[in-house]
Amino acid sequence: MFKIVVCVKAVPDPKEACNIKIDPVTKTLMRCDVPMVLNPLDKYALEAALQFKEQFDAHISVLSMGPPEAGNIVKECLALGADQGFLLSDRAFAGADAFATAYTLAKGIEKIGPFDVVFCGMASSDGSTEWVGPEIATFLKIPVVTRITEIVEYNGQWWTVKAELENGYRLVRVQIPAVFTVTRALNTPRRLSFSGIIKARKKEITQWGIQQLGVSEASVGLKGSPSIVSTIATMDSRRKVEILEGKREEKAEQLVQRLANAGVL
Amino acid sequence: MEKSCGPVWVIAEQIDCRILSVSFQLIGHGRKLAAALDTTVEAILLGHQMAEHPRQLFAAGGDRVYLGNDPELAVYQPEIYAEIIEKLAKEKQPEIILIGSTSMGRELAPLIAARLDTGLTAHCIDLVIDGNNVLESRIPAYGGLLSIICPDRRPQMATIAAGVFPNPEPDGNRTGDIIPIEVPKEIPQRIQTLKVVREEPEGMDLESATIVVAGGAGAGDPAGWRKIADLAQVLNAALGATRPTVDEGWAALETMIGQSGKMVSPELYIGVGLSGELQHMVGISGAKVMVAINNDAKSPVFEQVDYGIVDDCREFVPVFIEKIKAYREKLKTC
């Protein structure tokens, strides 16, 4: 059977992310009760897998790395139609940069077993590096195509996909197993259904730590991360603002005047 | 540091035999880093019919160009490009590798970093050498400016967007070595770029626009977004976007302004229905005059602009458009 792995991440809800600040002393994020949600782009990655499964006989595993609470987003993916969930959770995984994250996920994918394709969201809404997909592929020694917008053809071992470029696209032919990172152009993610939620109750989430994965503490989390945060400065981008007052018409009129006087209109 | 330091590398990128401006900007800034480290700046240029192009890289400040000039390299081929750069980097031991934050760069950089077992930073808005001769990548995040370092592994790698560093003044008298690179024969051909299609961009070019109107989630829906687009059109401005509006599908990815998008420095910036998140605001910090329109008086955007309008942008923008039209009419009759 065709095996698909979808990598997902729990991220602070992007709609409330502006409430997150950095603690200047501990250099950690003060999350301020911002809820964790499924990374928006990962929904498109899961949808790609679900649409493939609708056409062919396929099995979808969802894999995430994160604290135990990240199990909720894995559960959400199961309710959306994935078959099996895996959560890599261990204190030793904390503080990972993209490199250590990709390494840990690659180890998780290997432990899940043989697979045909891996789908990832192009980027997470919090880190937004786009590094994890290509680095997973490198650790697994398989090809990757990033920013895909269309799957043109699946033809046995060879897939043809379109990938986004500035003002255009490239058409790429790639041999599977491969990693694809997906953009929003690829599909329209489905919504949760009541029956999906009921069915997901029977599906299990397997949790693995460093022992089950067989990785050393030095190769994961903060210790396994080549990049570290060295210092934090505050950015002073403040300007002296003039808030224009009055009725809507008056404010618009004043704004036109100010901009005309500044010579920018 | 007692150990001698390897060169600063720039992975130059070409499209249809034209080297991108970001590549020259990175060489220009690479010179400063190289001066601090007392080392050289070298470019890797992969393409076809590029024999004359190294001159431009020398003029920008490069000391040496590794040139792969082969039909196989005409367009970006991920495995071949990554293989060549990995092999060369293992041999030459560069201290730093800089790559433009383009579609190609964003894929190629992590392929190289993972192959070289090293760290890679994204969205840098500045790169400096610290007191320990370590590269500090400055990245805006969550209301602060993070300095990220890769203390123990080499090379140190970063991707940088076009416009973060200025174009260097070309010096036609500068010369350097050209070292040819062969295409390795035994690469697994598991992936092939069949075709590259580039279209003429729609709308105004953000980087060169004198006025930029940027819309945020406050647009509310596609109809609200169209009002912001109308404002851009009336002002003959380029329309930019924030991450959430790209997420909603209202705006195209290439119109996103900010640390993971474009860096712009217009004469006038008008932010409509956006909250002033740092990830966006760093992209327009070079603007001369800044305006924000947002219905929340407490929004952080109002600390970062010159003129603030506290109002529902969907209601305010059409009124503003009428006033702009009236002003323009008046100018004509004067």
Side-chain angles (χ1 to χ4, degrees), chain B residues 41-62:
Chain B
V41 179
E42 304 180 349
I44 318 299
L45 179 60
L46 305 178
H48 183 224
Q49 297 181 325
M50 301 294 291
E52 296 301 312
H53 293 70
R55 267 198 311 200
Q56 301 169 19
L57 298 168
F58 297 137

Side-chain angles (χ1 to χ4, degrees), chain A residues 14-240:
Chain A
K15 293 191 183 75
E16 296 182 34
C18 58
N19 296 324
I20 301 172
K21 293 279 180 271
I22 289 164
D23 184 326
V25 181
T26 61
K27 294 183 185 177
T28 53
L29 290 182
M30 300 188 292
R31 290 185 184 272
C32 301
D33 297 328
V34 174
M36 301 299 279
V37 298
L38 179 57
N39 176 45
L41 273 161
D42 299 348
K43 293 181 187 166
Y44 297 77
L46 178 62
E47 182 64 29
L50 294 170
Q51 290 188 5
F52 188 90
K53 194 184 163 172
E54 283 168 354
Q55 292 182 52
F56 305 97
D57 196 17
H59 180 273
I60 303 171
S61 300
V62 169
L63 174 66
S64 188
M65 181 184 92
E69 305 86 86
N72 291 334
I73 62 134
V74 177
K75 205 166 280 172
E76 183 180 339
C77 295
L78 294 175
L80 283 162
D83 299 296
Q84 224 178 338
F86 297 88
L87 178 65
L88 310 180
S89 197
D90 196 305
R91 280 178 189 281
F93 296 151
D97 69 356
F99 182 97
T101 302
Y103 174 78
T104 311
L105 289 170
K107 287 290 171 192
I109 292 167
E110 281 173 350
K111 191 169 166 66
I112 291 171
F115 63 92
D116 296 284
V117 301
V118 177
F119 287 115
C120 304
M122 174 185 98
S124 64
S125 61
D126 53 352
S128 67
T129 62
E130 305 183 32
W131 303 158
V132 171
E135 294 197 337
I136 288 174
T138 307
F139 292 126
L140 294 172
K141 298 191 160 49
I142 58 174
V144 60
V145 188
T146 59
R147 299 186 174 189
I148 71 166
T149 57
E150 190 184 333
I151 298 167
V152 181
E153 193 180 26
Y154 352 77
N155 192 352
Q157 290 305 104
W158 288 90
W159 284 31
T160 306
V161 297
K162 268 188 189 177
E164 180 185 81
L165 284 184
E166 292 82 5
N167 307 311
Y169 67 89
R170 59 189 165 119
L171 194 65
V172 183
R173 188 166 174 266
V174 59
Q175 190 176 26
I176 60 166
V179 175
F180 298 99
T181 82
V182 312
T183 64
R184 290 177 180 79
L186 186 64
N187 53 44
T188 308
R190 66 198 63 195
R191 292 177 182 281
L192 277 173
S193 68
F194 184 68
S195 66
I197 295 168
I198 299 295
K199 278 186 207 155
R201 284 188 186 163
K202 289 189 209 122
K203 299 176 186 169
E204 275 184 29
I205 298 176
T206 308
Q207 193 169 322
W208 290 329
I210 53 167
Q211 265 159 15
Q212 290 89 349
L213 275 193
V215 294
S216 73
E217 222 169 297
S219 62
V220 297
L222 187 61
K223 286 182 189 165
S225 298
S227 315
I228 55 166
V229 175
S230 69
T231 57
I232 292 179
T234 49
M235 278 245 289
D236 198 3
S237 51
R238 275 173 300 177
R239 296 188 181 214
K240 212 169 151 190

Side-chain angles (χ1 to χ4, degrees), chain A residues 128 141 146-147 164 166-167 169-171 173 175 184 228 230-231 233 238-239 242 244 248 251, chain B residues 103 107 123 145 147 149 190 192 194-195 197 199 247 253 287-288 302-303 306 308 310-311 323:
Chain A
S128 67
K141 298 191 160 49
T146 59
R147 299 186 174 189
E164 180 185 81
E166 292 82 5
N167 307 311
Y169 67 89
R170 59 189 165 119
L171 194 65
R173 188 166 174 266
Q175 190 176 26
R184 290 177 180 79
I228 55 166
S230 69
T231 57
R238 275 173 300 177
R239 296 188 181 214
E242 183 187 355
L244 304 177
R248 185 166 286 146
K251 288 189 286 195
Chain B
S103 293
E107 180 176 289
H123 315 310
L145 193 61
S147 289
I149 57 171
R190 301 173 298 185
Q192 295 143 15
L194 302 176
K195 189 163 77 165
V197 176
E199 289 132 15
D247 285 4
L253 181 68
K288 195 172 134 200
F302 290 122
E303 293 172 3
D306 304 295
V310 181
D311 201 347
K323 294 288 177 191

Side-chain angles (χ1 to χ4, degrees), chain B residues 9-334:
Chain B
W9 273 13
V10 173
I11 309 299
E13 181 176 352
Q14 54 85 22
I15 293 174
D16 296 333
C17 294
R18 257 192 51 228
I19 298 175
L20 302 188
S21 59
V22 66
S23 304
F24 297 118
Q25 293 161 5
L26 294 184
I27 288 179
H29 191 73
R31 275 241 68 81
K32 292 186 187 169
L33 303 178
L37 293 169
D38 195 20
T39 186
T40 53
V41 179
E42 304 180 349
I44 318 299
L45 179 60
L46 305 178
H48 183 224
Q49 297 181 325
M50 301 294 291
E52 296 301 312
H53 293 70
R55 267 198 311 200
Q56 301 169 19
L57 298 168
F58 297 137
D63 298 304
R64 169 176 283 181
V65 173
Y66 290 97
L67 176 65
N69 200 18
D70 190 290
E72 290 274 354
L73 305 176
V75 294
Y76 167 55
Q77 300 285 0
E79 285 200 315
I80 303 178
Y81 275 41
E83 183 76 21
I84 288 175
I85 297 165
E86 176 194 0
K87 202 166 146 241
L88 199 61
K90 283 181 172 164
E91 189 187 327
K92 306 292 178 190
Q93 306 278 321
E95 184 72 6
I96 292 171
I97 301 181
L98 307 179
I99 305 181
S101 183
T102 61
S103 293
M104 180 195 93
R106 296 296 286 277
E107 180 176 289
L108 185 57
L111 292 178
I112 298 169
R115 282 162 178 251
L116 296 176
D117 251 338
T118 195
L120 168 63
T121 53
H123 315 310
C124 308
I125 60 162
D126 201 6
L127 292 168
V128 296
I129 302 295
D130 74 6
N132 300 316
N133 282 352
V134 170
L135 180 72
E136 241 184 69
S137 300
R138 300 213 165 131
I139 294 158
Y142 300 117
L145 193 61
L146 305 184
S147 289
I148 298 190
I149 57 171
C150 177
D152 305 321
R153 304 195 201 187
R154 293 294 178 271
Q156 306 161 90
M157 294 184 60
T159 64
I160 303 95
V164 170
F165 299 120
N167 290 315
E169 198 58 50
D171 175 358
N173 295 323
R174 281 186 55 95
T175 56
D177 315 327
I178 300 174
I179 316 277
I181 318 174
E182 302 269 309
V183 180
K185 293 288 167 260
E186 66 295 350
I187 301 166
Q189 295 278 347
R190 301 173 298 185
I191 179 164
Q192 295 143 15
T193 304
L194 302 176
K195 189 163 77 165
V196 173
V197 176
R198 303 259 180 191
E199 289 132 15
E200 278 302 302
E202 269 177 46
M204 290 262 303
D205 177 32
L206 271 171
E207 276 114 329
S208 59
T210 31
I211 303 179
V212 169
V213 172
D221 53 29
W225 183 259
R226 274 196 296 280
K227 289 177 185 168
I228 301 173
D230 288 345
L231 175 63
Q233 203 187 0
V234 167
L235 286 169
N236 196 23
L239 180 62
T242 60
R243 169 63 78 177
T245 63
V246 174
D247 285 4
E248 290 290 346
W250 302 337
L253 181 68
E254 54 266 18
T255 65
M256 188 163 77
I257 294 174
Q259 67 171 104
S260 51
K262 298 233 158 99
M263 300 281 180
V264 299
S265 346
E267 292 283 298
L268 171 61
Y269 163 87
I270 304 178
V272 187
L274 51 83
S275 62
E277 263 195 74
L278 199 66
Q279 282 94 325
H280 172 74
M281 301 308 281
V282 292
I284 40 98
S285 56
K288 195 172 134 200
V289 177
M290 295 176 67
V291 177
I293 304 164
N294 187 308
N295 63 356
D296 178 7
K298 285 190 228 112
S299 170
V301 77
F302 290 122
E303 293 172 3
Q304 302 173 66
V305 296
D306 304 295
Y307 301 108
I309 301 285
V310 181
D311 201 347
D312 181 341
C313 64
R314 287 164 297 189
E315 301 291 334
F316 180 80
V317 165
V319 178
F320 184 35
I321 288 174
E322 288 315 309
K323 294 288 177 191
I324 294 165
K325 284 183 178 164
Y327 169 76
R328 296 249 160 111
E329 277 303 309
K330 210 170 79 192
L331 276 189
K332 272 189 213 159
T333 56
C334 285

